[in-house]
Amino acid sequence: MSSAHLQQPAISLARSAELYRRARVVSPGGVHGDGRFYDPHPVYLRSGMGSHVTDVDGNEYVDFHCGFGAILLGHSEARWLADLTERIKTGTCLASANEAEVELSEKLVSAIPNIDMVAFCNTGSEATYHAIRLARAITGRRKLLKFEGNYHGWHDYVAWSTRFDASVGGPANDPVPVPASSGMSDSAADEVVTCGYNDIAHLEEVVEEHGAELAAVIVEPIFHNAGVVMPAEGFLEACRTVSTRCGALLIADEVITGVRHGLAGVAARRGIDADIMTMGKAVANGVPLAVVAGREGIMSHLRPTGDVLFAGTFNGNALSVAAGISCVDRLMTEPQIYDYLSALGRRLAGGLRDALGKAGVGARVQQYGSVWALYFADRPVLSARDLPDSGTTKSGPRESAYRRWMLQRGFYIHPHYFLRGYLNASHTEDEVDAFVEASADYFDQCSA
Ligand SMILES: Cc1ncc(COP(=O)(O)O)c(C=O)c1O
């Protein structure tokens, strides 16, 4: 598929370019996180409202980034905003026990079937860090089994094989854990084993070999860090079975899927009783709040009832908790939001598939609920190894050309290693249809 003849964006990004020149002098790459940089410079956003974001040049886009999935109700959604505005008047960081934390904890415990207790922190990375430390303390073992491509945060425990790179990743039946960063502790390499997502046979082998040393198996119940990769039939069940068999804890990392696909997350709804669940992102509709959750017998190992250190100045801060209560309340009282999001997701995916079919472009759309992915590939993506070459670069030529086209037409898809989009409850059918139409125009030009 050639895209060389496609037009470049006509919209002006002059102020973004200028900001980038300033920003890179004062911050590495002009950004505050690797996921935000892209060539030739990021589009610097100024504001978000509902389903839209506006950049510093005044261009308005329908937003399919949704804060890496954190925006579920919509940017600054009216009722959520009113709740936050009330809260901000009366102190945001009490950093002491408070009533609102109790209220949110009770709500989550009542909404999620297989947990008795929750503990609040701020980011998904913190949540997985605490979950793994808890698993190590309880089992007295050190090793973690994680799946290639699954992303659980930036810390040394989990920053392994977050992308599949054929030059260093080893064969599928003998994968090599690849550090995602320099500067990681040497000992961390001895504490992780990897396995392909959805590869039940290899999972059995890894557990056969390392089971006695495993503290935990950690898994994304839907593999959104490769777009939309569903767990194959029996895969999550196998994660549960092998963990139980070898005495490791199963951690369902629902930092994306929790709340976004239902309050209880994905694993519990599929009948998988994980020992620890982590949540983050959308739980407070875009204010930092993350959750470690589990049965009392697990959670009570955290201090002060147990001996596992759990602390943080901003844990359960009043702003995050108010945002969490507002968002969770809304989802509890209006569960039809999920039906709406799923219908919108199906509409978008179906529209894209039709458009691809009509244009004769060999690409795939995978979608679940409010998340969709478009892969310029002709085979299904079932694991990190199936990702097209864009799985290791943010600037794959086909993906970049499509994104630029869509930006020009008023749709923001965040440059990532593949094309992934999130919907929020403020998106409309008209916006989705317009997006499909603009995509269809793009595909038509590609096939011309
Ligand atoms: C499944 C999963 N777990 C954990 C994290 C880390 O969350 P945070 O970026 O809030 O530290 C992410 C972030 O994308 C994630 O997708």
Side-chain angles (χ1 to χ4, degrees), residues 114 219 221-222 236 250 252 254 257 264-274:
N114 56 340
V219 65
I222 295 176
L236 293 179
L250 177 63
E254 308 248 18
T257 50
V266 165
R269 286 213 330 280
R270 292 183 167 227
I272 309 299
D273 197 4

Side-chain angles (χ1 to χ4, degrees), residues 100-298:
E101 318 175 305
V102 182
E103 196 188 323
L104 181 57
S105 305
E106 286 172 347
K107 282 184 197 299
L108 289 170
V109 166
S110 74
I112 304 173
N114 56 340
I115 64 160
D116 300 323
M117 290 184 163
V118 294
F120 297 140
C121 48
N122 298 285
T123 65
S125 298
E126 286 172 69
T128 59
Y129 187 98
H130 289 303
I132 293 163
R133 183 186 265 175
L134 200 48
R136 286 179 172 159
I138 292 169
T139 60
R141 302 169 176 180
R142 307 247 60 79
K143 281 194 178 169
L144 176 75
L145 190 161
K146 81 169 288 286
F147 296 97
E148 281 179 341
N150 277 199
Y151 179 74
H152 306 291
W154 41 254
H155 54 82
D156 285 15
Y157 294 171
V158 289
W160 292 91
S161 301
T162 51
R163 323 236 145 260
F164 175 67
D165 178 347
S167 65
V168 282
N173 61 1
D174 192 15
V176 178
V178 179
S181 172
S182 60
M184 286 168 52
S185 156
D186 288 344
S187 62
D190 302 328
E191 298 184 340
V192 66
V193 287
T194 54
C195 175
Y197 195 79
N198 279 333
D199 188 345
I200 300 176
H202 188 237
L203 174 62
E204 292 278 357
E205 285 172 26
V206 174
V207 172
E208 182 69 33
E209 186 180 346
H210 298 280
E213 301 164 281
L214 283 182
V217 174
I218 187 166
V219 65
E220 283 188 58
I222 295 176
F223 184 5
H224 282 314
N225 279 295
V228 182
V229 176
M230 298 305 291
E233 184 154 359
F235 174 65
L236 293 179
E237 289 76 2
C239 290
R240 177 65 279 176
T241 309
V242 298
S243 304
T244 307
R245 193 193 308 146
C246 74
L249 301 193
L250 177 63
I251 302 171
D253 181 2
E254 308 248 18
V255 163
I256 296 181
T257 50
V259 176
R260 176 158 283 279
H261 295 316
L263 281 166
V266 165
R269 286 213 330 280
R270 292 183 167 227
I272 309 299
D273 197 4
D275 298 293
I276 306 177
M277 173 186 184
T278 50
M279 300 164 83
K281 298 207 190 248
V283 71
N285 191 44
V287 171
L289 175 67
V291 185
V292 184
R295 297 269 188 220
E296 184 186 354
I298 303 275

Side-chain angles (χ1 to χ4, degrees), residues 383-399:
S383 77
R385 289 178 186 239
D386 297 328
L387 281 170
D389 51 4
S390 55
T392 49
T393 168
K394 277 189 232 176
S395 313
R398 295 163 303 183
E399 291 76 10

